[in-house]
Amino acid sequence: MLGFLIGIAGGLAEFFMLRALVNRLTSARDIPFWLPLAKIGVLVACLLACAFWLPQQLMWAGIGMAAALVGGGLISLIAGIIRDKRRKKNMSPDGTGDDSHT
């Protein structure tokens, strides 16, 4: 199960780097050259560490990475839906913004 924990840690690191990369892409900001390289590097480093030191745990590392990426994506999706509902709830009827001060 140590491979699973390594996979979870690597998957979470990958998720946050992927989220930063996608946010920069969708907002048309410059992407630092190291961000995509670091994302791939984390994937390779985690899997190679398991392959060299815990070869019997390599499958569990892959499962942990996938679980962290999917879980992070689902949590991010749910948080975004909740945030949008709260934002819509605070909008005035004409859609111009917060009407709690009127």
Side-chain angles (χ1 to χ4, degrees):
M1 285 315 226
L2 183 59
F4 185 73
L5 294 176
I6 292 170
I8 291 283
L12 286 175
E14 268 196 272
F15 171 74
F16 287 115
M17 285 187 276
L18 181 63
R19 189 173 71 173
L21 183 66
V22 168
N23 285 340
R24 287 180 176 271
L25 280 172
T26 57
S27 65
R29 294 186 318 202
D30 289 336
I31 300 169
F33 73 96
W34 58 267
L35 192 56
L37 296 176
K39 188 197 166 314
I40 293 169
V42 166
L43 170 73
V44 171
C46 286
L47 292 178
L48 279 179
C50 276
F52 283 125
W53 291 298
L54 301 166
Q56 70 280 8
Q57 295 286 311
L58 187 58
M59 178 186 70
W60 285 107
I63 292 170
M65 285 182 144
L69 284 167
V70 170
L74 287 174
I75 289 170
S76 183
L77 173 70
I78 292 167
I81 290 170
I82 291 170
R83 189 172 38 250
D84 286 346
K85 282 186 180 182
R86 285 185 183 158
R87 191 174 300 140
K88 287 180 183 177
K89 183 179 171 184
N90 291 332
M91 294 293 282
S92 63
D94 61 355
T96 58
D98 189 11
D99 70 337
S100 62
H101 301 334
T102 59

Coordinates of all heavy atoms in Angstrom, one line a residue:
M1 N 0.8 -1.2 0.0 CA 0.0 0.0 0.0 C 0.8 1.3 0.0 O 0.3 2.4 -0.2 CB -0.9 0.0 1.2 CG -2.1 -1.0 1.0 SD -2.8 -0.8 -0.6 CE -4.5 -0.7 -0.3
L2 N 2.1 1.1 0.2 CA 3.0 2.3 0.1 C 3.0 2.9 -1.3 O 3.0 4.1 -1.5 CB 4.4 1.9 0.5 CG 5.5 3.1 0.6 CD1 5.0 4.1 1.6 CD2 6.8 2.5 1.0
G3 N 2.9 2.0 -2.3 CA 2.8 2.5 -3.7 C 1.6 3.3 -3.9 O 1.6 4.3 -4.6
F4 N 0.5 2.9 -3.3 CA -0.8 3.7 -3.4 C -0.6 5.1 -2.8 O -1.1 6.1 -3.4 CB -1.9 2.9 -2.7 CG -3.2 3.6 -2.9 CD1 -3.9 3.5 -4.1 CD2 -3.9 4.2 -1.8 CE1 -5.1 4.1 -4.3 CE2 -5.1 4.8 -2.0 CZ -5.7 4.7 -3.2
L5 N 0.1 5.2 -1.7 CA 0.3 6.5 -1.0 C 1.2 7.4 -1.9 O 1.0 8.6 -2.0 CB 0.9 6.3 0.4 CG -0.1 5.6 1.4 CD1 0.7 5.4 2.7 CD2 -1.3 6.5 1.6
I6 N 2.2 6.8 -2.5 CA 3.1 7.5 -3.4 C 2.3 8.0 -4.6 O 2.5 9.1 -5.0 CB 4.3 6.6 -3.8 CG1 5.2 6.4 -2.6 CG2 5.1 7.3 -4.9 CD1 6.3 5.3 -2.9
G7 N 1.4 7.2 -5.1 CA 0.6 7.5 -6.2 C -0.4 8.7 -5.9 O -0.6 9.6 -6.6
I8 N -1.0 8.6 -4.7 CA -1.9 9.7 -4.2 C -1.1 11.0 -4.2 O -1.6 12.0 -4.6 CB -2.5 9.3 -2.9 CG1 -3.5 8.2 -3.0 CG2 -3.1 10.6 -2.2 CD1 -4.8 8.6 -3.6
A9 N 0.1 11.0 -3.5 CA 0.9 12.2 -3.4 C 1.3 12.7 -4.8 O 1.1 13.9 -5.1 CB 2.1 11.9 -2.6
G10 N 1.7 11.9 -5.7 CA 2.1 12.3 -7.0 C 0.8 12.8 -7.8 O 0.9 13.8 -8.5
G11 N -0.3 12.1 -7.7 CA -1.5 12.5 -8.3 C -2.0 13.9 -7.9 O -2.5 14.7 -8.7
L12 N -1.9 14.1 -6.6 CA -2.3 15.4 -6.1 C -1.4 16.5 -6.6 O -1.9 17.6 -7.0 CB -2.4 15.4 -4.6 CG -3.5 14.7 -3.9 CD1 -3.4 14.6 -2.4 CD2 -4.9 15.3 -4.3
A13 N -0.1 16.3 -6.6 CA 0.8 17.3 -7.2 C 0.5 17.5 -8.6 O 0.5 18.7 -9.1 CB 2.2 16.8 -7.0
E14 N 0.3 16.5 -9.4 CA -0.1 16.6 -10.8 C -1.4 17.3 -11.0 O -1.5 18.2 -11.9 CB -0.3 15.2 -11.4 CG 1.0 14.7 -12.0 CD 0.7 13.5 -13.0 OE1 0.6 12.4 -12.5 OE2 0.4 13.8 -14.1
F15 N -2.4 17.1 -10.1 CA -3.7 17.8 -10.2 C -3.5 19.3 -10.1 O -4.1 20.0 -10.9 CB -4.7 17.2 -9.2 CG -5.9 18.0 -9.2 CD1 -6.9 17.9 -10.2 CD2 -6.2 18.9 -8.1 CE1 -8.0 18.7 -10.2 CE2 -7.3 19.7 -8.1 CZ -8.2 19.6 -9.1
F16 N -2.8 19.7 -9.1 CA -2.6 21.1 -8.8 C -1.8 21.8 -10.0 O -2.1 22.9 -10.4 CB -2.0 21.4 -7.5 CG -3.0 21.1 -6.4 CD1 -2.7 20.1 -5.4 CD2 -4.1 21.9 -6.2 CE1 -3.6 19.9 -4.4 CE2 -5.0 21.6 -5.2 CZ -4.8 20.6 -4.3
M17 N -0.8 21.1 -10.5 CA -0.1 21.6 -11.6 C -1.0 21.7 -12.9 O -0.9 22.6 -13.7 CB 1.2 20.9 -11.9 CG 2.3 21.2 -10.9 SD 3.8 20.4 -11.3 CE 3.6 18.8 -10.6
L18 N -1.8 20.6 -13.1 CA -2.7 20.6 -14.2 C -3.7 21.7 -14.1 O -4.0 22.4 -15.1 CB -3.4 19.3 -14.3 CG -4.3 19.0 -15.5 CD1 -3.6 19.2 -16.8 CD2 -5.0 17.7 -15.4
R19 N -4.2 21.9 -12.9 CA -5.2 23.0 -12.7 C -4.6 24.4 -13.0 O -5.2 25.2 -13.7 CB -5.8 22.9 -11.3 CG -7.0 23.9 -11.1 CD -7.6 23.7 -9.8 NE -6.7 24.2 -8.8 CZ -7.1 24.3 -7.5 NH1 -8.2 23.9 -7.1 NH2 -6.2 24.8 -6.6
A20 N -3.4 24.6 -12.6 CA -2.7 25.9 -12.8 C -2.5 26.0 -14.3 O -2.6 27.1 -14.9 CB -1.4 25.9 -12.1
L21 N -2.1 25.0 -15.0 CA -1.8 25.0 -16.4 C -3.1 25.3 -17.2 O -3.1 26.2 -18.1 CB -1.2 23.7 -16.9 CG -0.9 23.6 -18.4 CD1 0.3 24.5 -18.7 CD2 -0.4 22.1 -18.7
V22 N -4.2 24.7 -16.9 CA -5.5 24.9 -17.5 C -6.0 26.3 -17.3 O -6.5 27.0 -18.2 CB -6.5 23.8 -17.1 CG1 -7.9 24.2 -17.6 CG2 -6.1 22.5 -17.7
N23 N -5.9 26.8 -16.0 CA -6.3 28.2 -15.7 C -5.5 29.2 -16.5 O -6.1 30.2 -17.0 CB -6.1 28.4 -14.2 CG -7.2 27.8 -13.4 OD1 -8.2 27.4 -13.9 ND2 -6.9 27.6 -12.1
R24 N -4.2 29.0 -16.7 CA -3.4 29.9 -17.5 C -3.8 29.8 -19.0 O -3.8 30.8 -19.7 CB -1.9 29.6 -17.3 CG -1.4 30.1 -16.0 CD 0.1 29.8 -15.8 NE 0.6 30.3 -14.6 CZ 1.1 31.5 -14.4 NH1 1.1 32.3 -15.5 NH2 1.5 31.9 -13.3
L25 N -4.1 28.6 -19.4 CA -4.5 28.5 -20.9 C -5.8 29.1 -21.1 O -6.0 29.8 -22.1 CB -4.6 27.0 -21.2 CG -3.3 26.3 -21.6 CD1 -3.5 24.8 -21.7 CD2 -2.6 26.8 -22.8
T26 N -6.8 28.9 -20.2 CA -8.1 29.5 -20.5 C -8.2 31.0 -20.3 O -9.1 31.6 -20.8 CB -9.2 28.8 -19.6 OG1 -8.8 28.9 -18.3 CG2 -9.3 27.3 -20.0
S27 N -7.3 31.5 -19.5 CA -7.3 33.0 -19.3 C -6.3 33.7 -20.2 O -6.1 34.9 -20.0 CB -7.0 33.3 -17.8 OG -5.7 32.9 -17.5
A28 N -5.7 33.0 -21.1 CA -4.8 33.6 -22.1 C -3.6 34.2 -21.5 O -3.0 35.2 -22.0 CB -5.5 34.5 -23.0
R29 N -3.1 33.7 -20.3 CA -1.9 34.2 -19.7 C -0.7 33.4 -20.2 O -0.9 32.3 -20.7 CB -2.0 34.1 -18.2 CG -3.1 35.1 -17.6 CD -3.1 35.1 -16.1 NE -2.9 33.8 -15.5 CZ -3.3 33.5 -14.3 NH1 -3.8 34.4 -13.6 NH2 -3.1 32.3 -13.8
D30 N 0.5 33.9 -20.0 CA 1.7 33.2 -20.4 C 1.8 32.0 -19.5 O 1.6 32.0 -18.3 CB 2.9 34.1 -20.3 CG 2.9 35.2 -21.3 OD1 2.3 35.0 -22.4 OD2 3.6 36.2 -21.1
I31 N 2.3 30.9 -20.1 CA 2.6 29.7 -19.4 C 4.1 29.6 -19.1 O 4.8 29.6 -20.1 CB 2.1 28.5 -20.2 CG1 0.6 28.6 -20.4 CG2 2.4 27.2 -19.4 CD1 0.1 27.6 -21.4
P32 N 4.5 29.4 -17.9 CA 5.9 29.3 -17.6 C 6.4 27.9 -18.3 O 5.7 26.9 -18.2 CB 6.1 29.2 -16.1 CG 4.7 29.3 -15.5 CD 3.7 29.5 -16.7
F33 N 7.5 27.9 -18.8 CA 8.0 26.8 -19.6 C 8.2 25.6 -18.6 O 8.1 24.4 -19.1 CB 9.3 27.0 -20.3 CG 10.5 27.2 -19.4 CD1 11.3 26.1 -19.1 CD2 10.8 28.4 -18.7 CE1 12.4 26.2 -18.3 CE2 11.9 28.4 -17.9 CZ 12.7 27.4 -17.6
W34 N 8.4 25.8 -17.4 CA 8.7 24.7 -16.4 C 7.4 24.0 -16.0 O 7.5 22.8 -15.5 CB 9.4 25.2 -15.2 CG 8.7 26.3 -14.5 CD1 8.8 27.6 -14.6 CD2 7.7 26.1 -13.5 NE1 7.9 28.3 -13.8 CE2 7.2 27.4 -13.1 CE3 7.1 25.0 -12.9 CZ2 6.2 27.6 -12.1 CZ3 6.1 25.2 -11.9 CH2 5.7 26.5 -11.6
L35 N 6.2 24.6 -16.1 CA 5.0 24.0 -15.6 C 4.7 22.7 -16.3 O 4.5 21.7 -15.6 CB 3.9 25.0 -15.7 CG 2.6 24.6 -14.9 CD1 2.9 24.4 -13.4 CD2 1.6 25.8 -15.0
P36 N 4.6 22.6 -17.6 CA 4.3 21.3 -18.3 C 5.4 20.3 -18.0 O 5.1 19.1 -17.8 CB 4.2 21.6 -19.7 CG 4.1 23.1 -19.9 CD 4.6 23.7 -18.6
L37 N 6.7 20.8 -18.0 CA 7.8 19.9 -17.7 C 7.7 19.3 -16.3 O 8.0 18.1 -16.1 CB 9.1 20.6 -17.9 CG 9.4 21.1 -19.4 CD1 10.7 21.9 -19.4 CD2 9.4 19.9 -20.3
A38 N 7.4 20.2 -15.3 CA 7.2 19.7 -14.0 C 6.1 18.7 -13.8 O 6.2 17.7 -13.1 CB 7.0 20.9 -13.0
K39 N 5.0 18.9 -14.5 CA 3.9 18.0 -14.4 C 4.3 16.6 -14.9 O 4.0 15.6 -14.3 CB 2.7 18.5 -15.2 CG 1.5 17.7 -15.0 CD 0.5 18.0 -16.1 CE -0.6 16.9 -16.1 NZ -0.2 15.5 -16.1
I40 N 5.0 16.6 -16.1 CA 5.4 15.3 -16.6 C 6.5 14.7 -15.7 O 6.6 13.5 -15.5 CB 5.9 15.5 -18.1 CG1 4.8 15.9 -19.0 CG2 6.6 14.2 -18.6 CD1 5.2 16.3 -20.3
G41 N 7.4 15.6 -15.2 CA 8.4 15.1 -14.3 C 7.9 14.4 -13.0 O 8.5 13.4 -12.6
V42 N 6.8 15.0 -12.5 CA 6.2 14.4 -11.3 C 5.7 13.0 -11.6 O 5.9 12.0 -10.9 CB 5.1 15.2 -10.7 CG1 4.3 14.5 -9.7 CG2 5.7 16.5 -10.1
L43 N 5.0 12.8 -12.7 CA 4.5 11.6 -13.2 C 5.6 10.5 -13.3 O 5.6 9.4 -12.8 CB 3.8 11.7 -14.5 CG 3.3 10.4 -15.2 CD1 2.2 9.8 -14.5 CD2 3.0 10.7 -16.6
V44 N 6.7 10.9 -14.0 CA 7.8 10.0 -14.3 C 8.5 9.7 -13.0 O 8.9 8.5 -12.7 CB 8.7 10.6 -15.3 CG1 10.0 9.8 -15.4 CG2 8.1 10.7 -16.7
A45 N 8.7 10.7 -12.1 CA 9.5 10.5 -10.9 C 8.7 9.5 -10.0 O 9.3 8.6 -9.4 CB 9.7 11.8 -10.2
C46 N 7.4 9.7 -9.8 CA 6.7 8.8 -8.9 C 6.6 7.4 -9.5 O 6.9 6.4 -8.7 CB 5.2 9.3 -8.8 SG 5.1 10.7 -7.8
L47 N 6.4 7.2 -10.7 CA 6.4 5.9 -11.3 C 7.7 5.2 -11.3 O 7.9 4.0 -11.0 CB 5.7 5.9 -12.7 CG 4.3 6.2 -12.7 CD1 3.7 6.3 -14.1 CD2 3.4 5.3 -11.9
L48 N 8.8 6.0 -11.6 CA 10.1 5.4 -11.6 C 10.5 5.0 -10.2 O 11.2 4.0 -10.0 CB 11.1 6.3 -12.2 CG 11.2 6.4 -13.7 CD1 12.2 7.4 -14.2 CD2 11.5 5.0 -14.3
A49 N 10.2 5.8 -9.2 CA 10.5 5.5 -7.8 C 9.9 4.2 -7.4 O 10.6 3.3 -6.8 CB 10.1 6.6 -6.9
C50 N 8.7 4.0 -7.8 CA 8.0 2.7 -7.5 C 8.6 1.6 -8.3 O 8.8 0.5 -7.8 CB 6.5 2.8 -7.7 SG 5.6 3.5 -6.4
A51 N 8.9 1.8 -9.5 CA 9.5 0.8 -10.4 C 10.8 0.3 -9.9 O 11.1 -0.9 -9.9 CB 9.6 1.3 -11.8
F52 N 11.6 1.2 -9.3 CA 13.0 0.8 -8.9 C 12.9 0.2 -7.4 O 13.6 -0.8 -7.2 CB 13.9 2.0 -8.9 CG 14.4 2.3 -10.3 CD1 14.3 3.6 -10.8 CD2 15.0 1.4 -11.1 CE1 14.7 3.9 -12.1 CE2 15.5 1.6 -12.3 CZ 15.3 2.9 -12.8
W53 N 12.2 0.9 -6.5 CA 12.3 0.4 -5.1 C 11.1 -0.4 -4.7 O 11.2 -1.2 -3.8 CB 12.3 1.7 -4.2 CG 13.7 2.4 -4.4 CD1 14.9 1.8 -4.1 CD2 13.9 3.7 -4.9 NE1 15.9 2.8 -4.4 CE2 15.3 3.9 -4.9 CE3 13.0 4.7 -5.3 CZ2 15.8 5.1 -5.3 CZ3 13.6 5.9 -5.7 CH2 15.0 6.1 -5.7
L54 N 10.0 -0.3 -5.3 CA 8.8 -1.1 -4.9 C 8.1 -1.6 -6.2 O 7.0 -1.3 -6.5 CB 7.8 -0.3 -4.2 CG 8.3 0.4 -2.9 CD1 7.3 1.5 -2.4 CD2 8.5 -0.7 -1.8
P55 N 8.8 -2.5 -7.0 CA 8.2 -2.9 -8.3 C 6.8 -3.6 -8.1 O 6.0 -3.5 -9.0 CB 9.2 -3.8 -8.9 CG 10.2 -4.2 -7.8 CD 10.1 -3.1 -6.7
Q56 N 6.6 -4.3 -7.0 CA 5.3 -5.0 -6.8 C 4.2 -4.0 -6.5 O 3.0 -4.4 -6.6 CB 5.5 -6.0 -5.7 CG 5.6 -5.5 -4.3 CD 7.0 -5.1 -4.0 OE1 7.9 -5.0 -4.8 NE2 7.3 -4.7 -2.7
Q57 N 4.6 -2.7 -6.2 CA 3.6 -1.7 -5.9 C 3.3 -0.8 -7.0 O 2.6 0.2 -6.9 CB 4.0 -0.9 -4.7 CG 4.2 -1.7 -3.4 CD 2.8 -2.0 -2.8 OE1 2.0 -1.1 -2.7 NE2 2.6 -3.2 -2.5
L58 N 3.9 -1.0 -8.2 CA 3.8 -0.1 -9.3 C 2.3 0.1 -9.8 O 1.9 1.2 -10.0 CB 4.6 -0.6 -10.5 CG 4.7 0.3 -11.7 CD1 5.3 1.7 -11.3 CD2 5.6 -0.3 -12.7
M59 N 1.6 -1.0 -9.8 CA 0.2 -0.9 -10.2 C -0.6 -0.1 -9.2 O -1.4 0.8 -9.6 CB -0.5 -2.3 -10.2 CG -2.0 -2.3 -10.6 SD -2.8 -3.9 -10.5 CE -2.8 -4.2 -8.8
W60 N -0.3 -0.2 -7.9 CA -1.0 0.6 -6.9 C -0.7 2.1 -7.0 O -1.5 2.9 -6.7 CB -0.7 0.1 -5.5 CG -1.5 -1.2 -5.2 CD1 -1.0 -2.5 -5.2 CD2 -2.9 -1.3 -5.0 NE1 -2.0 -3.4 -4.9 CE2 -3.2 -2.7 -4.9 CE3 -3.9 -0.4 -5.0 CZ2 -4.4 -3.2 -4.6 CZ3 -5.2 -0.9 -4.8 CH2 -5.5 -2.3 -4.6
A61 N 0.6 2.4 -7.4 CA 1.0 3.8 -7.6 C 0.2 4.4 -8.7 O -0.3 5.5 -8.6 CB 2.5 3.8 -7.9
G62 N 0.0 3.6 -9.8 CA -0.8 4.1 -10.9 C -2.3 4.3 -10.5 O -2.9 5.3 -10.9
I63 N -2.8 3.4 -9.7 CA -4.2 3.5 -9.3 C -4.3 4.7 -8.4 O -5.3 5.5 -8.4 CB -4.6 2.2 -8.6 CG1 -4.8 1.1 -9.6 CG2 -6.0 2.4 -7.8 CD1 -5.0 -0.3 -8.9
G64 N -3.3 5.0 -7.5 CA -3.4 6.1 -6.6 C -3.3 7.4 -7.4 O -4.0 8.4 -7.0
M65 N -2.5 7.5 -8.4 CA -2.4 8.7 -9.2 C -3.7 8.9 -9.9 O -4.2 10.1 -9.9 CB -1.3 8.6 -10.3 CG 0.1 8.7 -9.7 SD 1.3 8.6 -11.1 CE 2.4 9.8 -10.5
A66 N -4.3 7.9 -10.5 CA -5.6 8.1 -11.2 C -6.7 8.5 -10.2 O -7.5 9.4 -10.5 CB -5.9 6.8 -11.9
A67 N -6.7 7.9 -9.0 CA -7.7 8.2 -8.0 C -7.5 9.7 -7.6 O -8.6 10.4 -7.4 CB -7.6 7.3 -6.8
A68 N -6.3 10.1 -7.4 CA -6.1 11.5 -6.9 C -6.5 12.5 -8.0 O -7.1 13.5 -7.7 CB -4.6 11.7 -6.5
L69 N -6.2 12.2 -9.3 CA -6.6 13.1 -10.4 C -8.1 13.2 -10.5 O -8.7 14.2 -10.6 CB -6.0 12.7 -11.7 CG -4.5 13.0 -11.8 CD1 -3.9 12.2 -13.0 CD2 -4.3 14.5 -12.0
V70 N -8.8 12.0 -10.5 CA -10.2 12.0 -10.6 C -10.9 12.6 -9.4 O -11.8 13.4 -9.5 CB -10.7 10.5 -10.8 CG1 -12.2 10.4 -10.7 CG2 -10.2 10.0 -12.2
G71 N -10.4 12.3 -8.2 CA -11.0 12.8 -7.0 C -10.8 14.4 -6.9 O -11.7 15.1 -6.6
G72 N -9.6 14.8 -7.3 CA -9.4 16.3 -7.3 C -10.3 17.0 -8.3 O -10.8 18.0 -8.1
G73 N -10.5 16.3 -9.5 CA -11.4 16.9 -10.5 C -12.8 17.0 -10.0 O -13.5 18.0 -10.3
L74 N -13.3 15.9 -9.4 CA -14.6 15.9 -8.9 C -14.8 17.0 -7.8 O -15.8 17.7 -7.8 CB -15.0 14.5 -8.4 CG -15.2 13.5 -9.4 CD1 -15.5 12.1 -8.8 CD2 -16.4 13.8 -10.3
I75 N -13.9 17.1 -6.9 CA -14.0 18.1 -5.8 C -14.0 19.5 -6.4 O -14.7 20.3 -6.0 CB -12.8 17.9 -4.8 CG1 -13.1 16.6 -4.0 CG2 -12.7 19.1 -3.8 CD1 -11.9 16.2 -3.1
S76 N -13.1 19.7 -7.4 CA -13.0 21.0 -8.0 C -14.4 21.3 -8.8 O -14.8 22.4 -8.7 CB -11.9 21.0 -9.0 OG -11.7 22.2 -9.6
L77 N -14.9 20.3 -9.4 CA -16.2 20.5 -10.1 C -17.3 20.8 -9.1 O -18.1 21.8 -9.3 CB -16.6 19.2 -10.9 CG -18.0 19.2 -11.5 CD1 -18.0 20.2 -12.7 CD2 -18.3 17.8 -11.9
I78 N -17.4 20.1 -8.0 CA -18.5 20.4 -7.0 C -18.3 21.7 -6.4 O -19.2 22.5 -6.2 CB -18.5 19.2 -6.0 CG1 -19.0 17.9 -6.6 CG2 -19.4 19.6 -4.8 CD1 -18.7 16.7 -5.8
A79 N -17.0 22.1 -6.1 CA -16.8 23.4 -5.5 C -17.2 24.5 -6.5 O -17.7 25.5 -6.1 CB -15.3 23.5 -5.1
G80 N -16.9 24.3 -7.8 CA -17.3 25.3 -8.8 C -18.8 25.5 -8.9 O -19.3 26.6 -9.1
I81 N -19.5 24.3 -8.9 CA -21.0 24.4 -8.9 C -21.5 25.2 -7.7 O -22.4 26.0 -7.9 CB -21.6 23.0 -9.0 CG1 -21.2 22.4 -10.4 CG2 -23.1 23.0 -8.8 CD1 -21.6 20.9 -10.5
I82 N -21.0 24.9 -6.5 CA -21.5 25.5 -5.3 C -21.2 27.0 -5.4 O -22.0 27.9 -5.1 CB -20.9 24.9 -4.1 CG1 -21.4 23.5 -3.9 CG2 -21.1 25.8 -2.8 CD1 -20.7 22.7 -2.8
R83 N -20.0 27.4 -5.9 CA -19.6 28.8 -6.0 C -20.5 29.5 -7.0 O -20.9 30.6 -6.7 CB -18.1 28.8 -6.5 CG -17.5 30.2 -6.4 CD -16.0 30.2 -6.7 NE -15.5 29.2 -7.7 CZ -14.8 28.1 -7.4 NH1 -14.5 27.8 -6.2 NH2 -14.4 27.3 -8.4
D84 N -20.8 28.9 -8.1 CA -21.7 29.5 -9.1 C -23.1 29.7 -8.6 O -23.7 30.7 -8.8 CB -21.7 28.7 -10.4 CG -20.5 28.8 -11.2 OD1 -19.7 29.7 -11.0 OD2 -20.3 28.0 -12.1
K85 N -23.6 28.7 -7.8 CA -24.9 28.9 -7.2 C -25.0 30.0 -6.2 O -25.9 30.8 -6.2 CB -25.4 27.6 -6.5 CG -25.8 26.5 -7.5 CD -26.3 25.3 -6.7 CE -26.8 24.3 -7.7 NZ -27.4 23.1 -7.1
R86 N -23.9 30.1 -5.4 CA -23.9 31.3 -4.5 C -23.8 32.6 -5.2 O -24.4 33.6 -4.8 CB -22.7 31.1 -3.5 CG -22.9 30.0 -2.5 CD -21.7 30.0 -1.5 NE -21.9 28.9 -0.6 CZ -21.0 28.4 0.1 NH1 -19.7 28.8 0.0 NH2 -21.3 27.4 1.0
R87 N -23.0 32.6 -6.3 CA -22.9 33.9 -7.1 C -24.2 34.2 -7.7 O -24.6 35.4 -7.7 CB -21.8 33.7 -8.1 CG -21.4 35.0 -8.8 CD -20.2 34.8 -9.8 NE -19.1 34.3 -9.1 CZ -18.3 33.3 -9.6 NH1 -18.5 32.8 -10.7 NH2 -17.2 32.9 -8.9
K88 N -24.9 33.3 -8.2 CA -26.2 33.6 -8.8 C -27.2 34.0 -7.8 O -28.1 34.8 -8.0 CB -26.7 32.3 -9.6 CG -26.0 32.1 -10.9 CD -26.5 30.9 -11.6 CE -25.8 30.6 -12.9 NZ -26.2 29.4 -13.5
K89 N -27.1 33.4 -6.6 CA -28.1 33.7 -5.5 C -27.9 35.2 -5.1 O -28.8 35.9 -4.7 CB -27.8 32.8 -4.3 CG -28.7 33.0 -3.2 CD -28.4 32.0 -2.1 CE -29.1 32.3 -0.8 NZ -28.7 31.4 0.2
N90 N -26.6 35.7 -5.2 CA -26.3 37.1 -4.8 C -26.5 38.1 -5.9 O -26.3 39.3 -5.6 CB -24.9 37.2 -4.2 CG -24.8 36.5 -2.9 OD1 -25.7 36.3 -2.2 ND2 -23.6 36.0 -2.6
M91 N -26.9 37.7 -7.1 CA -27.1 38.6 -8.2 C -28.5 39.3 -8.0 O -29.4 38.7 -7.6 CB -27.1 37.9 -9.5 CG -25.7 37.3 -9.9 SD -24.5 38.5 -10.1 CE -24.9 39.0 -11.8
S92 N -28.5 40.6 -8.5 CA -29.8 41.3 -8.5 C -30.6 40.8 -9.6 O -30.1 40.1 -10.6 CB -29.5 42.8 -8.6 OG -28.9 43.1 -9.8
P93 N -31.9 41.1 -9.7 CA -32.8 40.6 -10.7 C -32.3 41.1 -12.1 O -32.6 40.3 -13.1 CB -34.2 41.2 -10.4 CG -34.1 41.4 -8.9 CD -32.7 41.8 -8.6
D94 N -31.7 42.2 -12.3 CA -31.3 42.7 -13.6 C -29.9 42.1 -14.0 O -29.4 42.4 -15.0 CB -31.3 44.2 -13.7 CG -30.3 44.8 -12.7 OD1 -29.7 44.1 -11.9 OD2 -30.2 46.1 -12.8
G95 N -29.3 41.3 -13.0 CA -28.0 40.7 -13.4 C -26.8 41.5 -13.3 O -25.7 41.2 -13.8
T96 N -26.9 42.7 -12.6 CA -25.8 43.6 -12.5 C -24.9 43.4 -11.3 O -23.8 44.0 -11.3 CB -26.3 45.1 -12.5 OG1 -27.1 45.2 -11.4 CG2 -27.0 45.4 -13.8
G97 N -25.2 42.6 -10.4 CA -24.3 42.3 -9.3 C -25.1 42.1 -8.0 O -26.3 41.8 -8.0
D98 N -24.4 42.4 -6.9 CA -24.9 42.1 -5.6 C -25.9 43.2 -5.2 O -25.7 44.4 -5.3 CB -23.8 42.1 -4.6 CG -24.2 41.7 -3.2 OD1 -25.3 41.2 -3.1 OD2 -23.4 41.8 -2.3
D99 N -27.2 42.8 -4.9 CA -28.2 43.8 -4.5 C -28.5 43.8 -3.0 O -29.5 44.2 -2.6 CB -29.4 43.5 -5.3 CG -30.2 42.3 -4.9 OD1 -29.5 41.4 -4.3 OD2 -31.4 42.2 -5.2
S100 N -27.5 43.3 -2.2 CA -27.8 43.2 -0.8 C -27.7 44.6 -0.1 O -28.1 44.7 1.0 CB -26.8 42.3 -0.1 OG -25.5 42.7 -0.3
H101 N -27.2 45.6 -0.8 CA -27.0 46.9 -0.3 C -28.2 47.8 -0.6 O -28.2 49.0 -0.3 CB -25.7 47.6 -0.7 CG -24.5 46.8 -0.4 ND1 -24.4 45.9 0.7 CD2 -23.3 46.7 -0.9 CE1 -23.2 45.4 0.8 NE2 -22.5 45.8 -0.2
T102 N -29.2 47.3 -1.3 CA -30.3 48.2 -1.8 C -31.5 48.1 -0.8 O -31.6 47.3 0.0 CB -30.8 47.8 -3.2 OG1 -31.2 46.5 -3.2 CG2 -29.7 48.1 -4.2

